[in-house]
Amino acid sequence: MAESFGLGISTADDPVDWGALTRYATEVMQRAYAPYSHYKVGVAGLVDDGRVVLGCNVENAAYGVALCAECGMVSALHATGGGRLVAVACVDGEGRPLMPCGRCRQLLWENGGPTMQLLTASGVRTMDEVLPDAFGADDLASGEGTDGSAAGEKETDA
Protein backbone atom coordinates (compact mmCIF):
# COMPACT_ATOMS: atom_id res chain seq x y z
CA MET A 1 0.00 0.00 0.00
CA ALA A 2 1.23 3.49 -0.85
CA GLU A 3 2.37 5.77 1.93
CA SER A 4 -0.29 8.33 2.83
CA PHE A 5 2.05 11.07 4.17
CA GLY A 6 -0.23 11.32 7.21
CA LEU A 7 -3.01 13.01 5.28
CA GLY A 8 -5.08 10.04 4.16
CA ILE A 9 -4.26 10.63 0.50
CA SER A 10 -2.13 8.22 -1.46
CA THR A 11 0.92 9.19 -3.50
CA ALA A 12 0.69 10.96 -6.84
CA ASP A 13 1.37 7.65 -8.63
CA ASP A 14 -1.97 6.29 -7.44
CA PRO A 15 -5.39 7.36 -8.75
CA VAL A 16 -6.51 10.70 -7.34
CA ASP A 17 -8.73 10.44 -4.28
CA TRP A 18 -11.13 13.26 -5.19
CA GLY A 19 -13.25 12.62 -2.11
CA ALA A 20 -10.27 13.19 0.20
CA LEU A 21 -9.11 16.29 -1.70
CA THR A 22 -12.64 17.71 -1.51
CA ARG A 23 -12.81 17.00 2.23
CA TYR A 24 -9.52 18.80 2.81
CA ALA A 25 -10.65 21.75 0.68
CA THR A 26 -13.92 21.91 2.62
CA GLU A 27 -12.10 21.80 5.96
CA VAL A 28 -9.70 24.60 5.06
CA MET A 29 -12.55 26.63 3.53
CA GLN A 30 -13.97 26.96 7.04
CA ARG A 31 -10.81 28.88 8.00
CA ALA A 32 -11.25 31.45 5.22
CA TYR A 33 -11.30 35.10 6.23
CA ALA A 34 -14.24 36.55 4.30
CA PRO A 35 -15.86 39.25 6.50
CA TYR A 36 -16.87 41.42 3.53
CA SER A 37 -18.26 39.07 0.89
CA HIS A 38 -19.01 36.18 3.24
CA TYR A 39 -17.97 33.98 0.29
CA LYS A 40 -15.57 31.39 1.67
CA VAL A 41 -13.39 29.30 -0.63
CA GLY A 42 -11.03 26.41 0.12
CA VAL A 43 -8.66 24.49 -2.09
CA ALA A 44 -6.52 21.37 -1.78
CA GLY A 45 -3.86 20.29 -4.23
CA LEU A 46 -2.05 16.99 -4.62
CA VAL A 47 1.65 17.52 -5.40
CA ASP A 48 3.72 15.17 -7.57
CA ASP A 49 5.62 13.93 -4.50
CA GLY A 50 2.41 13.00 -2.64
CA ARG A 51 2.14 16.08 -0.40
CA VAL A 52 -1.18 17.88 -0.11
CA VAL A 53 -1.12 21.68 0.01
CA LEU A 54 -4.05 23.80 1.14
CA GLY A 55 -5.31 27.35 0.80
CA CYS A 56 -8.28 29.51 1.71
CA ASN A 57 -9.31 32.97 0.62
CA VAL A 58 -8.28 35.97 2.73
CA GLU A 59 -10.15 39.21 2.17
CA ASN A 60 -8.99 42.73 2.98
CA ALA A 61 -10.86 46.01 3.50
CA ALA A 62 -9.10 47.18 0.33
CA TYR A 63 -11.09 44.75 -1.81
CA GLY A 64 -8.63 44.58 -4.69
CA VAL A 65 -5.88 43.08 -2.55
CA ALA A 66 -7.81 40.04 -1.36
CA LEU A 67 -6.05 36.71 -1.78
CA CYS A 68 -7.82 33.89 -3.54
CA ALA A 69 -7.59 30.43 -1.99
CA GLU A 70 -5.50 29.21 -4.91
CA CYS A 71 -2.91 31.94 -4.23
CA GLY A 72 -2.52 30.65 -0.70
CA MET A 73 -2.23 27.07 -1.92
CA VAL A 74 0.46 27.94 -4.46
CA SER A 75 2.35 29.86 -1.77
CA ALA A 76 2.13 26.78 0.48
CA LEU A 77 3.37 24.64 -2.43
CA HIS A 78 6.56 26.68 -2.72
CA ALA A 79 6.97 27.23 1.03
CA THR A 80 6.96 23.46 1.61
CA GLY A 81 9.45 22.47 -1.08
CA GLY A 82 7.94 23.20 -4.49
CA GLY A 83 6.99 20.55 -6.99
CA ARG A 84 4.17 20.29 -9.51
CA LEU A 85 0.46 20.19 -8.81
CA VAL A 86 -1.13 16.99 -10.11
CA ALA A 87 -4.76 17.43 -9.01
CA VAL A 88 -6.72 20.27 -7.40
CA ALA A 89 -10.14 20.52 -5.76
CA CYS A 90 -11.57 23.99 -5.09
CA VAL A 91 -14.83 24.37 -3.15
CA ASP A 92 -17.29 27.08 -2.17
CA GLY A 93 -18.84 27.66 1.26
CA GLU A 94 -21.16 24.68 0.79
CA GLY A 95 -18.33 22.33 -0.20
CA ARG A 96 -19.38 22.26 -3.87
CA PRO A 97 -16.78 22.26 -6.66
CA LEU A 98 -15.93 25.79 -7.74
CA MET A 99 -14.22 26.93 -10.94
CA PRO A 100 -11.19 29.11 -10.16
CA CYS A 101 -11.15 32.65 -11.52
CA GLY A 102 -8.97 33.51 -14.52
CA ARG A 103 -6.03 34.75 -12.46
CA CYS A 104 -6.07 31.54 -10.44
CA ARG A 105 -6.33 29.35 -13.52
CA GLN A 106 -3.13 31.02 -14.68
CA LEU A 107 -1.49 30.23 -11.30
CA LEU A 108 -2.62 26.61 -11.57
CA TRP A 109 -1.31 26.36 -15.14
CA GLU A 110 2.07 27.74 -14.10
CA ASN A 111 2.37 25.31 -11.17
CA GLY A 112 0.68 22.24 -12.64
CA GLY A 113 0.85 22.51 -16.40
CA PRO A 114 -1.59 21.44 -19.10
CA THR A 115 -2.24 17.95 -17.70
CA MET A 116 -3.00 19.00 -14.12
CA GLN A 117 -6.48 17.79 -13.21
CA LEU A 118 -9.10 20.11 -11.73
CA LEU A 119 -12.36 19.03 -10.13
CA THR A 120 -15.16 21.19 -11.56
CA ALA A 121 -18.96 21.21 -11.28
CA SER A 122 -19.03 19.36 -14.60
CA GLY A 123 -16.44 16.75 -13.60
CA VAL A 124 -12.67 16.42 -13.72
CA ARG A 125 -11.02 18.55 -16.41
CA THR A 126 -7.40 19.14 -17.37
CA MET A 127 -5.92 22.62 -17.34
CA ASP A 128 -5.78 22.39 -21.14
CA GLU A 129 -9.58 22.24 -21.06
CA VAL A 130 -10.20 25.05 -18.55
CA LEU A 131 -7.50 27.40 -19.88
CA PRO A 132 -7.12 26.71 -23.61
CA ASP A 133 -4.29 28.50 -25.42
CA ALA A 134 -2.71 29.36 -22.08
CA PHE A 135 0.11 31.87 -21.79
CA GLY A 136 3.13 30.49 -19.98
CA ALA A 137 6.84 30.75 -19.39
CA ASP A 138 7.58 29.37 -22.86
CA ASP A 139 5.85 32.39 -24.37
CA LEU A 140 8.20 34.70 -22.46
CA ALA A 141 11.27 32.65 -23.31
CA SER A 142 10.56 32.76 -27.04
CA GLY A 143 10.98 36.54 -27.14
CA GLU A 144 7.94 36.82 -29.39
CA GLY A 145 4.42 38.00 -28.77
CA THR A 146 1.44 36.09 -30.15
CA ASP A 147 1.42 38.35 -33.22
CA GLY A 148 5.09 37.60 -34.01
CA SER A 149 6.38 40.91 -32.63
CA ALA A 150 9.17 41.01 -30.10
CA ALA A 151 8.01 40.57 -26.50
CA GLY A 152 6.98 43.93 -25.05
CA GLU A 153 6.40 45.59 -28.44
CA LYS A 154 2.97 46.94 -29.22
CA GLU A 155 1.23 46.00 -32.42
CA THR A 156 0.80 49.08 -34.62
CA ASP A 157 -1.48 49.71 -37.55
CA ALA A 158 0.36 49.82 -40.85
Side-chain angles (χ1 to χ4, degrees), residues 86-100:
V86 173
V88 171
C90 183
V91 300
D92 66 12
E94 302 298 317
R96 295 178 300 232
L98 180 65
M99 180 63 75

Side-chain angles (χ1 to χ4, degrees), residues 24-44:
Y24 285 117
T26 301
E27 288 175 19
V28 76
M29 170 273 299
Q30 295 172 18
R31 298 180 188 145
Y33 179 71
Y36 308 106
S37 72
H38 306 287
Y39 193 77
K40 294 184 172 191
V41 177
V43 65

